[in-house]
Amino acid sequence: NAGVMQNPRHLVRRRGQEARLRCSPMKGHSHVYWYRQLPEEGLKFMVYLQKENIIDESGMPKERFSAEFPKEGPSILRIQQVVRGDSAAYFCASSGGSGGSYEQYFGPGTRLTVT
Amino acid sequence: GIQVEQSPPDLILQEGANSTLRCNFSDSVNNLQWFHQNPWGQLINLFYIPSGTKQNGRLSATTVATERYSLLYISSSQTTDSGVYFCAVTSGTYKYIFGTGTRLKVLA
């Protein structure tokens, strides 16, 4: 039973470029969450999605960040015009959601470095 | 919003020692998880424990929801236990709020 998969594991972007981070949830999970971890800190919630729906994006910066979870394919976290402050580890988690457990399982993360 | 505090912030142990990590939260919770973030950055689920007691090998956890705390016990620690331990909770929502973590180093 494959776990949560994220790619790429490491991503280097120059300031002003776009970063695309992908997440495939665990088999049978339909709820996806994105979190950001700055160095030496805990994880901070960014956005919660179900298939084709953004349920809660209260933790997302208002500009440059967007997320989607299409009917087919992985969830995508997109960061436009990256700046140095976007350098962080981005983790995706999935759960079975309502009617199932809210226990979240995390992927290995994508470490974004902006130069 | 809910506050999650973990103690101690740092802990150094000799291999074979036991330890107790604490997580205090400021409001009622409906979900609580303990994670281990290993030195490579990977988050490993340890326990899903909104209430009660669970054990898994050398690890066990207890959550007393009415008193707003959870404890993680590590017995006979090994060097592979090193890393950061996070407690995370949800309170009325599905958004996990993470504590600041306990950084554990186990010496051989």
Side-chain angles (χ1 to χ4, degrees):
Chain A
N1 187 14
V4 179
M5 298 174 67
Q6 290 188 249
N7 66 80
R9 297 289 303 276
H10 300 273
L11 183 61
V12 180
R13 284 286 178 266
R14 291 199 186 98
R15 279 178 297 170
Q17 291 185 318
E18 178 179 286
R20 280 187 182 231
L21 288 60
R22 295 174 190 78
C23 168
S24 296
M26 280 181 75
K27 188 175 180 181
H29 284 184
S30 56
H31 298 241
V32 166
Y33 314 80
W34 286 92
Y35 293 80
R36 178 165 63 177
Q37 184 179 34
L38 296 173
E40 306 298 318
E41 294 187 10
L43 281 71
K44 299 281 195 300
F45 169 83
M46 298 180 74
V47 62
Y48 163 37
L49 309 105
Q50 296 177 23
K51 285 285 188 183
E52 300 184 281
N53 282 306
I54 297 174
I55 307 302
D56 183 342
E57 56 182 348
S58 59
M60 290 267 276
K62 294 280 185 277
E63 297 176 354
R64 303 185 298 108
F65 285 72
S66 62
E68 63 177 3
F69 189 14
K71 189 176 180 181
E72 301 291 337
S75 175
I76 307 283
L77 179 66
R78 183 182 177 206
I79 311 172
Q80 296 178 287
Q81 299 176 319
V82 296
V83 301
R84 288 226 172 101
D86 297 333
S87 294
Y90 292 83
F91 288 92
C92 168
S94 72
S95 73
S98 58
S101 168
Y102 277 101
E103 181 173 7
Q104 293 184 13
Y105 294 85
F106 283 78
T110 294
R111 275 138 191 92
L112 172 66
T113 302
V114 180
T115 61
Chain B
I2 190 169
Q3 304 295 315
V4 183
E5 295 183 358
Q6 291 185 243
S7 60
D10 296 280
L11 189 56
I12 300 175
L13 299 173
Q14 284 295 134
E15 202 168 26
N18 303 329
S19 61
T20 301
L21 282 57
R22 187 176 182 102
C23 172
N24 291 333
F25 37 94
S26 60
D27 205 345
S28 59
V29 298
N30 44 3
N31 297 286
L32 187 148
Q33 291 187 238
W34 282 97
F35 298 93
H36 173 212
Q37 188 166 37
N38 64 22
W40 295 270
Q42 188 170 7
L43 275 167
I44 299 160
N45 286 41
L46 298 178
F47 294 103
Y48 173 73
I49 187 166
S51 63
T53 297
K54 289 186 178 179
Q55 179 156 10
N56 184 3
R58 296 182 297 104
L59 303 182
S60 63
T62 295
T63 296
V64 184
T66 52
E67 296 189 21
R68 299 184 182 170
Y69 72 89
S70 183
L71 302 173
L72 177 69
Y73 306 97
I74 305 174
S75 64
S76 304
S77 57
Q78 300 174 358
T79 56
T80 51
D81 295 332
S82 296
V84 183
Y85 289 79
F86 287 108
C87 165
V89 305
T90 70
S91 180
T93 74
Y94 33 71
K95 293 186 281 192
Y96 273 91
I97 305 299
F98 279 72
T100 50
T102 291
R103 190 172 300 275
L104 173 64
K105 185 163 188 174
V106 181
L107 304 176

